[in-house]
Amino acid sequence: MALEDAKRIVDHAFTREDLKGLSPEITFGGATSFLRRKYTKDLTGVDIAVTGVPFDQAVTNRSGTRLGPRAIREASSMQAPDEPYGWPYKPLSTLAIADYGDLAFDHANVPEFPAALTEHIRGILAADAASVVLGGDHYISFPILKAYAEKYSPISLLQFDAHTDTWADDNMDRVDHGTMFYKAVKTGIVDPATSVQVGIRTTNDDTLGVNIIDAPTVHEIGPVETARRIKDILGDRPVYLTFDIDCLDPAFAPGTGTPVWGGLSSAQASRILREIAGINIKGGDVVEVSPPFDTTGATAIAGAHAATEIICLLGWNMRDND
């Protein structure tokens, strides 16, 4: 496709006939699926299903992450006409990627939400597709991990974040965005010894044995060495990658519910994600994008790029297995 095709192509989210290839629509027009992929509930032949979870229950400071999936999709329209820069293969041309739409749930019945999300992800995995989830507050990773652990138990966690989210909470029914990985470890879903959290810069006296590469360490050793340490910890274990946008410094992503200074730059994060290619990643999410607190759209742009890199990481392994 060439740029001149934009004269006749619009609403590729609905009009495209296949799941592969670029989308040269004008960036400011047309229906906004993620990367202009086809919206479909049919997962036949799909390698990666992108799905939104517009949920926020009680982020620490600023609500609004329920609007994250919509903002990330809109921001991704700028990326759709070209292959992701720097990858030695063409993810958008070689992978069958679909936008599976959003999770439907009763927003007024919070206790029912976790099971609805787990079942939603089960459906994707049952179709032999990987999920890339656009959130939503960070709690959503826990119901997602339940579905992944059923297929890859126990699974290792690669978490980019300012916070560990392993504060003690033995009430497994509480929907709390700061305790879900405590529950994931305690219930045996996640193996802490082969999990790693990157960019941490808040105090937690008990991290349950999860390996931590905090933000000051990343600044000191650099992204390439950080990636090497991540790969050493994960080994060849099946991995779920969760990218909380507040792993980035507020200068790069102000639109989050829990901003903490001293974080990673977008350049550091992008290099780390690129350098960990080859990990045994099975799925991932991008969470905590809160558009009301960033009128520039920079946070959604970062979220869209992070989700695209997760797709590229998944595709790297799918490419190797062809």
Side-chain angles (χ1 to χ4, degrees):
M1 293 183 182
L3 188 59
E4 63 184 23
D5 294 327
K7 293 185 295 186
R8 60 182 179 80
I9 292 176
V10 71
D11 299 328
H12 233 195
F14 302 112
T15 61
R16 69 182 306 149
E17 295 181 355
D18 58 25
L19 298 171
K20 299 179 181 179
L22 305 177
S23 294
E25 293 186 47
I26 52 175
T27 58
F28 50 85
T32 53
S33 61
F34 187 75
L35 294 177
R36 307 284 194 180
R37 312 321 293 180
K38 183 179 181 180
Y39 266 120
T40 180
K41 297 297 185 183
D42 180 4
L43 294 178
T44 304
V46 171
D47 296 318
I48 299 171
V50 179
T51 187
V53 182
F55 175 83
D56 57 355
Q57 161 66 3
V59 293
T60 304
N61 188 40
R62 306 185 301 195
S63 61
T65 56
R66 66 184 61 184
L67 302 175
R70 181 177 296 175
I72 293 171
R73 284 188 174 101
E74 181 178 350
S76 77
S77 65
M78 293 187 293
Q79 300 169 253
D82 303 300
E83 294 288 350
Y85 180 77
W87 280 92
Y89 79 112
K90 297 181 178 180
L92 302 188
S93 297
T94 59
L95 299 172
I97 306 168
D99 193 320
Y100 194 54
D102 284 353
L103 169 71
F105 63 94
D106 184 350
H107 68 278
N109 193 341
V110 175
E112 286 188 354
F113 167 78
L117 177 52
T118 300
E119 186 60 30
H120 183 71
I121 301 300
R122 280 194 191 113
I124 294 172
L125 297 181
D128 290 325
S131 68
V132 175
V133 181
L134 314 176
D137 79 42
H138 210 163
Y139 175 80
I140 69 171
S141 296
F142 184 40
I144 295 169
L145 280 166
K146 287 182 178 180
Y148 269 87
E150 290 171 1
K151 190 169 185 178
Y152 308 105
S153 179
I155 196 163
S156 298
L157 181 70
L158 173 53
Q159 177 184 349
F160 290 82
D161 208 326
H163 316 88
T164 63
D165 297 324
T166 54
W167 285 280
D169 180 5
D170 291 311
N171 183 345
M172 298 300 163
D173 294 326
R174 288 187 68 251
V175 179
D176 189 318
H177 80 292
T179 67
M180 65 283 178
F181 296 131
Y182 174 92
K183 296 170 183 175
V185 171
K186 289 293 187 178
T187 56
I189 292 173
V190 165
D191 175 21
T194 58
S195 296
V196 57
Q197 298 172 323
V198 183
I200 303 302
R201 51 195 190 277
T202 51
T203 300
N204 184 354
D205 293 332
D206 185 4
T207 57
L208 304 180
V210 176
N211 300 277
I212 292 178
I213 306 174
D214 65 13
T217 299
V218 175
H219 298 320
E220 180 180 351
I221 66 176
V224 174
E225 174 62 16
T226 299
R228 187 194 67 78
R229 295 187 185 186
I230 291 170
K231 295 178 83 168
D232 283 349
I233 294 166
L234 297 177
D236 61 358
R237 295 291 302 280
V239 175
Y240 185 84
L241 193 163
T242 179
F243 193 98
D244 188 329
I245 205 68
D246 70 26
C247 78
L248 302 180
D249 189 87
F252 300 91
T256 179
T258 48
V260 184
W261 79 337
L264 308 188
S265 69
S266 56
Q268 288 173 316
S270 65
R271 185 65 185 274
I272 294 169
L273 288 169
R274 190 64 54 91
E275 291 290 333
I276 61 173
I279 63 171
N280 190 16
I281 181 174
K282 299 302 183 182
D285 62 50
V286 177
V287 296
E288 303 275 354
V289 172
S290 189
F293 298 96
D294 179 10
T295 57
T296 71
T299 309
I301 291 169
H305 279 277
T308 301
E309 291 298 298
I310 293 173
I311 287 173
C312 293
L313 289 168
L314 286 162
W316 185 255
N317 293 348
M318 294 173 183
R319 173 205 65 108
D320 286 346
N321 292 333
D322 285 342

